[in-house]
């Protein structure tokens, strides 16, 4: 700028820029203040977050959301189980069940896991089958194809025709329940005694019902799970005579299951105690001419059949043996076991009636994984 007009124009533009700079400085200062406030709030939130996070996880654990049966066993060993808030709250409501809206009390997950764990003490088949906790209606997709894979050129596409056969298996939720009587004086006792009594009563009753249903359940028509025995294919149901070759002919029937075409899990033999004692125990005892035992004695605490595990169930018919891979039976455990009560059934005896209810369904996913053998007496020769 050399002329007065040019100098005036430059000064005017400089003035405008300085004015804009002042406005920007004000905005910058304001933004810096807001940023400082936000950073301070963020620091406060970060300082509180660990405690909140721990508290949230603790509350979630307290609700039993992450509890399984092994965790419950550990809690029982340390005594923490009886100090947990949901357990204490449940048994307080249990004592005053009439105050619960709707007349039913939902059992918390940690107590349900305790009941399910105790069920294994009163049942023999329940621990063998595959158990799935579900919500709502369950549908399991199973590929029934067991043919070998196809060898092809390394750059060729896999054949889409050999994709197997998908089968839908739907599971319902049938109710099973049992009424348990509790002395009114026990209700006033400690939570430990009450928990041990109630959970064992409910577990024992449900366990027996489940074992019977796993073996002989008649299905949806009678509002119960589908049992193994009614589902066994005809070709897997055989009869053998109780002659000198009984043991040999009996174990041959395992070949109905373990055909070699497909891998199977552990095969178990299920029978009544009387069947084992009357028909099979003698084959484990061998004596010499002097009456001295020279062979293997039967292990009645852990019975076996030529190394095959034997499981006793009084729901089996006499002289019948069920061979099977019990992982091929799926038992669905629905959520929310509930309990309600009535004080009128045994009012004069100072006893309260409690009814425990649960919902289950089950089906053999592969009926051919089981075989039923009936032992018959030899036909007398004419």
């Amino acid at each position: 700028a050399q002329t007065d007009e040019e100098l005036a124009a430059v000064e005017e533009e400089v003035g405008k820029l300085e004015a804009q700079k002042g406005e920007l400085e004000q905005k910058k200062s304001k933004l810096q203040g807001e940023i400082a406030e936000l950073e301070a709030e963020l620091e406060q939130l970060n300082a509180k977050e660990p405690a909140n996070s721990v508290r949230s996880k603790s509350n979630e654990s307290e609700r039993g959301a992450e509890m399984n049966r092994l965790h419950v066993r550990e809690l029982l060993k340390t005594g923490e189980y009886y100090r947990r808030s949901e357990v204490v709250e449940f048994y307080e409501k249990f004592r005053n069940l009439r105050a619960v809206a709707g007349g039913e009390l939902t059992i918390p997950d940690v107590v349900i896991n305790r009941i399910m764990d105790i069920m294994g003490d009163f049942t023999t088949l329940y621990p063998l089958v595959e158990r799935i906790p579900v919500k709502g209606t369950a549908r399991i997709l199973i590929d029934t194809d067991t043919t070998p894979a196809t060898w092809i050129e390394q750059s060729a596409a896999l054949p889409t025709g050999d994709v197997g056969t998908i089968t839908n298996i739907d599971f319902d939720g049938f109710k099973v329940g049992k009424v348990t009587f509790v002395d009114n004086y026990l209700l006033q006792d400690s939570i430990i005694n009450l928990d041990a009594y109630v959970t064992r009563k409910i577990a024992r009753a449900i366990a027996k019902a489940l074992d019977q249903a796993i073996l002989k359940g008649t299905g949806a028509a009678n509002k119960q799970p589908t049992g193994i025995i009614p589902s066994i294919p005809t070709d897997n149901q055989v009869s053998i005579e109780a002659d000198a070759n009984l043991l040999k002919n009996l174990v041959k029937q395992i070949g109905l299951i373990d055909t070699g075409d497909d891998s199977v899990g552990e095969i178990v033999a299920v029978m009544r105690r009387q069947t084992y004692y009357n028909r099979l125990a003698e084959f484990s005892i061998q004596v010499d001419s002097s009456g001295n035992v020279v062979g293997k004695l039967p292990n009645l605490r852990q019975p076996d059949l030529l190394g095959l595990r034997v499981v006793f169930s009084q729901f089996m018919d006499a002289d019948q043996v069920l061979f099977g891979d019990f992982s091929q039976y799926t038992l669905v455990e629905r959520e929310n076991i509930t309990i309600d009560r009535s004080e009128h059934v045994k009012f004069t005896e100072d006893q309260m009636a409690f009814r425990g209810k649960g919902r289950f369904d089950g089906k053999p996913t592969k009926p051919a994984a089981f075989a039923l053998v009936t032992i018959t007496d030899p036909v007398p020769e004419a």
Side-chain angles (χ1 to χ4, degrees):
Q2 297 186 7
T3 63
D4 292 340
E5 289 94 3
E6 290 176 344
L7 288 172
V10 169
E11 290 176 354
E12 182 179 357
E13 293 297 328
V14 171
K16 291 180 180 179
L17 290 174
E18 288 180 349
Q20 292 178 358
K21 180 180 178 182
E23 293 177 359
L24 291 174
E25 290 291 340
Q26 291 179 355
K27 291 182 179 178
K28 179 181 177 182
S29 177
K30 182 178 180 181
L31 289 174
Q32 287 177 339
E34 293 177 354
I35 290 173
E37 291 178 359
L38 291 174
E39 288 177 346
E41 292 179 3
L42 184 60
E43 288 180 0
Q44 292 178 356
L45 291 174
N46 289 334
K48 294 180 179 179
E49 186 175 0
N52 291 339
S53 177
V54 171
R55 190 178 301 110
S56 176
K57 291 181 179 178
S58 175
N59 291 340
E60 183 180 0
S61 180
E62 281 287 306
R63 292 194 300 270
E66 298 179 353
M67 282 288 124
N68 60 33
R69 296 165 200 180
L70 294 178
H71 293 154
V72 174
R73 292 180 192 175
E74 294 300 319
L75 292 176
L76 286 167
K77 290 178 182 178
T78 61
E80 185 182 346
Y81 170 83
Y82 299 106
R83 297 191 295 269
R84 294 180 67 84
S85 60
E86 75 271 32
V87 175
V88 175
E89 181 182 2
F90 167 70
Y91 282 106
E92 287 299 323
K93 290 182 179 180
F94 184 84
R95 292 187 176 98
N96 304 283
L97 196 53
R98 283 176 298 180
V100 179
E104 287 189 353
L105 180 61
T106 299
I107 303 178
D109 290 344
V110 64
V111 181
I112 289 177
N113 282 325
R114 174 156 159 73
I115 292 174
M116 294 299 188
D117 190 41
I118 295 174
M119 282 172 56
D121 297 335
F122 302 111
T123 177
T124 56
L125 302 182
Y126 173 77
L128 300 179
V129 302
E130 182 181 8
R131 303 182 298 276
I132 304 177
V134 299
K135 299 179 180 180
T137 301
R139 172 170 293 177
I140 296 179
L141 302 180
I142 296 176
D143 186 354
T144 59
D145 178 30
T146 57
T147 58
T150 304
W151 290 98
I152 56 175
E153 178 66 32
Q154 63 177 356
S155 60
L158 290 174
T160 57
D162 299 334
V163 294
T165 304
I166 301 297
T167 302
N168 293 339
I169 299 181
D170 294 326
F171 290 91
D172 208 323
F174 303 116
K175 182 166 66 177
V176 59
K178 175 70 175 181
V179 174
T180 298
F181 292 99
V182 180
D183 192 286
N184 289 335
Y185 295 103
L186 182 61
L187 293 175
Q188 303 168 10
D189 208 341
S190 69
I191 185 177
I192 298 176
N193 294 339
L194 185 61
D195 175 80
Y197 185 86
V198 172
T199 55
R200 285 186 177 276
K201 280 281 189 178
I202 296 175
R204 186 186 187 101
I206 294 179
K208 288 189 172 183
L210 287 176
D211 260 17
Q212 186 176 29
I214 289 170
L215 279 181
K216 297 182 176 180
T218 53
N222 293 311
K223 307 302 180 185
Q224 57 184 269
T226 302
I228 293 171
I229 294 178
S231 305
I232 296 177
T234 304
D235 292 341
N236 283 21
Q237 302 182 39
V238 298
S239 297
I240 61 173
E241 289 188 355
D243 53 18
N245 295 318
L246 169 62
L247 186 59
K248 182 191 304 182
N249 293 331
L250 181 63
V251 296
K252 281 182 178 179
Q253 310 312 318
I254 301 175
L256 296 172
I257 305 170
D258 191 2
T259 62
D261 291 335
D262 196 8
S263 61
V264 295
E266 180 191 12
I267 297 177
V268 177
V270 181
M271 66 191 78
R272 292 175 70 99
R273 291 180 179 271
Q274 290 86 343
T275 303
Y276 182 79
Y277 300 147
N278 296 338
R279 301 291 192 182
L280 303 173
E282 62 180 291
F283 291 98
S284 297
I285 304 174
Q286 298 179 12
V287 297
D288 58 17
S289 58
S290 300
N292 298 317
V293 176
V294 296
K296 175 186 173 184
L297 284 172
N299 184 351
L300 299 182
R301 292 180 61 87
Q302 295 179 337
D304 69 281
L305 183 64
L306 298 181
L308 200 69
R309 182 152 64 112
V310 172
V311 173
F312 293 137
S313 175
Q314 292 305 100
F315 295 112
M316 287 290 297
D317 291 341
D319 293 334
Q320 284 193 339
V321 178
L322 175 65
F323 294 111
D325 173 8
F326 281 79
S327 65
Q328 301 297 330
Y329 186 95
T330 298
L331 182 71
V332 167
E333 301 173 349
R334 299 291 178 179
E335 63 174 346
N336 292 342
I337 293 180
T338 59
I339 190 168
D340 54 10
R341 84 174 191 175
S342 171
E343 59 185 2
H344 306 294
V345 182
K346 290 192 176 183
F347 175 77
T348 59
E349 302 176 36
D350 280 332
Q351 291 186 7
M352 191 74 66
F354 290 92
R355 178 177 57 181
K357 299 178 292 183
R359 294 194 301 131
F360 300 87
D361 194 12
K363 290 181 176 69
T365 55
K366 185 179 179 182
F370 302 91
L372 183 66
V373 182
T374 301
I375 302 173
T376 60
D377 291 320
V379 178
E381 296 182 2

